[in-house]
Amino acid sequence: MTKITKLLVANRGEIALRVLRSAREMGLQTVAIYSEADRNALHVRYADEAVCVGPPASKDSYLRGDKIIEVCKELGVDAIHPGYGFLSENADFARMVKAAGITFVGPSPEAMNIMGDKLSAKQAVQAYNIPLVPGTAEAISDVEEAKRIAEQVGFPILIKASAGGGGKGMRLVHAAAEFEEQMQLAINEATSAFGDGSVFIEKFVTGPRHIEIQVLGDEHGNIVHLFERECSIQRRHQKVIEEAPSSVLTPALRAEMGRCAVDVARACNYTGAGTVEFLLDDQRNFYFLEMNTRLQVEHPVTEMITGLDLVKEQIKVAQGEPLSFRQEDLSITGHALELRVYAEDPQNNFLPDIGRLQTYVRPQGPGVRVDDGFEQGMDIPIYYDPMIAKLVTYGANRQEAIARMLRAIEEYQITGIETTLGFGTYVLRHPAFVSGDFDTNFIKDHFQSSVLQQTPSPELARLAAVLAAKLLTEQKGAAMASNGAAAGGAAVPVSNWKKNRLAGR
Ligand code: MV4
């Protein structure tokens, strides 16, 4: 047991603030780091101390592991929380931190190494009974052999880079004739992107759901799962809406996937918070894909349904404390949704929109949580992720969580930049989303084809004008008389997000 007294958060934005808040509740002293672009950021003001670590570019600041460790030594910091992104999954950094006598709030470098490589992850879980997508569990370089396996598995197949992840380094092959060319391209891509040309083959699961299980392990061999998050609503591998629990899992399937996730964690002696990713096919068969060895962006939905604070749990585990609960003590209460609010323009192919937050008023009230790192008047820096906030709602059931999300989106006031808020309304009102009958193709199937190609009709423009006028009147009158203005007369569910946008929200 090495009690942590002073924690440095090696991150920025909403997650830095999120981690600092839990650290403060635990009575820890806190240190923020920041780049020259983040001098006025909220995480800098929130921490007890803050140190500038370099110029705006991540590689010159938030990725400077050596500098960050220097800061720790100077300020007597005894632990580093890496957040997500940046150095969070860098095993070499975790090793350097440890070597400097500082606690890394996260898994061991060994576990990070095993799970950081898709093939070594598959090999590590082989001793356990974990379902894998049919294909090869080893790197394959012989084209003829690869072709034979592909024929056995059956087309279409995916060629994946072992060092890839999150959709990077994948190639879809429909037929044997394309195989050789695609494999060469995959190897070349993997070599230049990751410095490792190892690739493997998997049967392509069409229209899968992306379901991930949160796990938590301590240094005493205890590992539990904290149920699932449904992350199928994504666009080009960028998640848009996450929820917990998933509406497709039965209690039996949930327990089975949970057991598998715990075994995946056990296979690498996992400690701390981690996420095991599965694909679920239309027959509800599940397959282990990969493990993320960090706290994830979407962790709040799990916190809402379990009542746990995952950051506190991470810190307690890092201090060597045993978990204070067993699997049978855990249960799901209610339903949570998370909408990622990006500074992107859905009307313009989701291009990042930078600028100043001229108006920034957060939604409030029952069942609403906003994790963000901005305030009105701030600029969205161009150097980092375009996510402005995570809007999280909680309800007794899915229906209530959805209604609260729609209401919270209406209350949210952002001007000065385009955001994906209105796009959220579109998804949340879509019959396929409401019914729970969707997969990872949801946005491809229901957005691009039906909405983006539409030019605004005169009818839509008229609706937007009426709505804008109505909103203006409301704003001049009582504050937030939430009478469902944006929902009013929603005869064309397909394009509500446009109305929102045109109304300047
Ligand atoms: C797949 C797949 C279908 N079949 N593997 C994309 C991200 C990476 N973690 C794995 N991914 C996929 N792997 C097989 N064998 C489909 C995807 C996939 C996907 C997975 C999760 C969430 C969104 C996705 C969007 C497109 C493709």
Side-chain angles (χ1 to χ4, degrees), residues 158 160 167 202-203 205 210 234 237 277 279 289-290 440:
L158 273 178
K160 294 188 178 182
E202 277 183 5
K203 181 162 184 63
V205 181
H210 173 156
Q234 52 78 43
H237 306 296
E277 269 187 37
L279 285 184
L289 270 193
E290 55 192 81
T440 49

Side-chain angles (χ1 to χ4, degrees), residues 81-85 88-89 105-107 112 212 214-215 229 239 270 273-275 277 290-298 314 340:
H81 193 301
Y84 55 69
S88 63
E89 291 178 284
V105 182
M112 289 164 82
E212 57 187 33
Q214 177 71 54
V215 296
R229 291 186 289 262
K239 292 166 187 166
Y270 200 83
T275 298
E277 269 187 37
E290 55 192 81
M291 181 172 192
N292 301 316
T293 58
R294 59 168 192 276
L295 184 72
Q296 300 219 177
V297 176
E298 59 271 27
Q314 286 186 296
R340 298 194 190 186

Side-chain angles (χ1 to χ4, degrees), residues 118 122 133-134 157-158 160 165-168 170 172 201-211 231-239 277-279 287 289-290 292 440-441 444:
K118 309 298 153 260
K122 279 182 197 249
V133 186
I157 60 123
L158 273 178
K160 294 188 178 182
K168 283 190 219 103
M170 296 198 316
L172 181 59
I201 294 170
E202 277 183 5
K203 181 162 184 63
F204 180 61
V205 181
T206 46
R209 294 177 81 116
H210 173 156
I211 297 200
C231 304
S232 298
I233 307 289
Q234 52 78 43
R235 191 189 156 272
R236 301 203 188 151
H237 306 296
Q238 190 187 55
K239 292 166 187 166
E277 269 187 37
F278 294 97
L279 285 184
Y287 309 96
L289 270 193
E290 55 192 81
N292 301 316
T440 49
N441 295 314
K444 229 187 307 176

Side-chain angles (χ1 to χ4, degrees), residues 99-121:
I102 301 161
T103 301
F104 180 79
V105 182
S108 68
E110 293 75 26
M112 289 164 82
N113 267 341
I114 293 172
M115 291 302 164
D117 181 89
K118 309 298 153 260
L119 280 171
S120 76

Side-chain angles (χ1 to χ4, degrees), residues 166-209:
K168 283 190 219 103
M170 296 198 316
R171 293 232 151 223
L172 181 59
V173 188
H174 297 278
E178 308 160 19
F179 192 89
E180 190 160 348
E181 188 191 345
Q182 291 298 326
M183 180 157 159
Q184 206 48 59
L185 284 169
I187 292 171
N188 294 348
E189 249 173 43
T191 308
S192 64
F194 313 114
D196 173 4
S198 310
V199 298
F200 60 97
I201 294 170
E202 277 183 5
K203 181 162 184 63
F204 180 61
V205 181
T206 46
R209 294 177 81 116

Side-chain angles (χ1 to χ4, degrees), residues 141-434:
S141 50
D142 181 332
V143 177
E144 288 314 312
E145 194 198 343
K147 260 186 176 166
R148 264 198 306 278
I149 294 167
E151 296 281 6
Q152 267 170 25
V153 166
F155 288 95
I157 60 123
L158 273 178
I159 303 175
K160 294 188 178 182
S162 187
K168 283 190 219 103
M170 296 198 316
R171 293 232 151 223
L172 181 59
V173 188
H174 297 278
E178 308 160 19
F179 192 89
E180 190 160 348
E181 188 191 345
Q182 291 298 326
M183 180 157 159
Q184 206 48 59
L185 284 169
I187 292 171
N188 294 348
E189 249 173 43
T191 308
S192 64
F194 313 114
D196 173 4
S198 310
V199 298
F200 60 97
I201 294 170
E202 277 183 5
K203 181 162 184 63
F204 180 61
V205 181
T206 46
R209 294 177 81 116
H210 173 156
I211 297 200
E212 57 187 33
I213 309 263
Q214 177 71 54
V215 296
L216 193 58
D218 66 19
E219 291 172 358
H220 309 275
N222 304 301
I223 307 177
V224 297
H225 72 83
L226 305 176
F227 313 105
E228 79 278 8
R229 291 186 289 262
E230 160 75 67
C231 304
S232 298
I233 307 289
Q234 52 78 43
R235 191 189 156 272
R236 301 203 188 151
H237 306 296
Q238 190 187 55
K239 292 166 187 166
V240 177
I241 292 178
E242 301 101 337
E243 62 179 313
S246 163
S247 29
V248 277
L249 295 200
T250 59
L253 186 53
R254 174 172 298 121
E256 206 186 328
M257 290 178 78
R259 264 197 309 275
C260 280
V262 166
D263 278 344
V264 169
R266 208 174 292 290
C268 63
N269 294 315
Y270 200 83
T271 54
T275 298
V276 181
E277 269 187 37
F278 294 97
L279 285 184
L280 188 74
D281 72 15
D282 52 6
Q283 307 296 305
R284 294 195 197 168
N285 299 305
F286 66 89
Y287 309 96
F288 166 59
L289 270 193
E290 55 192 81
M291 181 172 192
N292 301 316
T293 58
R294 59 168 192 276
L295 184 72
Q296 300 219 177
V297 176
E298 59 271 27
H299 75 276
V301 294
T302 299
E303 297 188 317
M304 303 302 256
I305 63 154
T306 59
L308 290 169
D309 179 323
L310 282 175
V311 173
K312 279 188 195 163
E313 295 304 327
Q314 286 186 296
I315 293 171
K316 287 195 276 185
V317 165
Q319 290 185 146
E321 290 182 42
L323 297 180
S324 62
F325 41 79
R326 291 158 304 177
Q327 189 66 54
E328 52 279 23
D329 300 326
L330 299 167
S331 60
I332 298 175
T333 307
H335 199 101
L337 293 172
E338 173 179 286
L339 171 67
R340 298 194 190 186
V341 185
Y342 292 105
E344 290 176 349
D345 185 359
Q347 290 261 84
N348 196 4
N349 201 26
F350 292 85
L351 271 167
D353 196 24
I354 48 152
R356 180 158 297 176
L357 286 167
Q358 267 150 12
T359 317
Y360 187 71
V361 182
R362 296 173 190 86
Q364 296 180 329
V368 176
R369 163 176 170 180
V370 181
D371 281 23
D372 63 10
F374 290 103
E375 273 185 339
Q376 187 161 296
M378 283 183 177
D379 291 313
I380 311 278
I382 53 168
Y383 305 97
Y384 317 107
D385 188 85
M387 193 174 75
I388 302 169
K390 304 186 307 205
L391 175 53
V392 181
T393 59
Y394 176 78
N397 51 48
R398 190 168 189 263
Q399 207 186 344
E400 187 174 48
I402 292 176
R404 283 193 163 142
M405 182 65 83
L406 287 165
R407 185 265 295 171
I409 293 171
E410 281 178 36
E411 283 185 27
Y412 219 141
Q413 295 176 48
I414 303 178
T415 65
I417 47 162
E418 296 298 335
T419 77
T420 52
L421 263 182
F423 178 67
T425 301
Y426 163 77
V427 175
L428 289 160
R429 287 224 188 97
H430 198 285
F433 182 80
V434 173

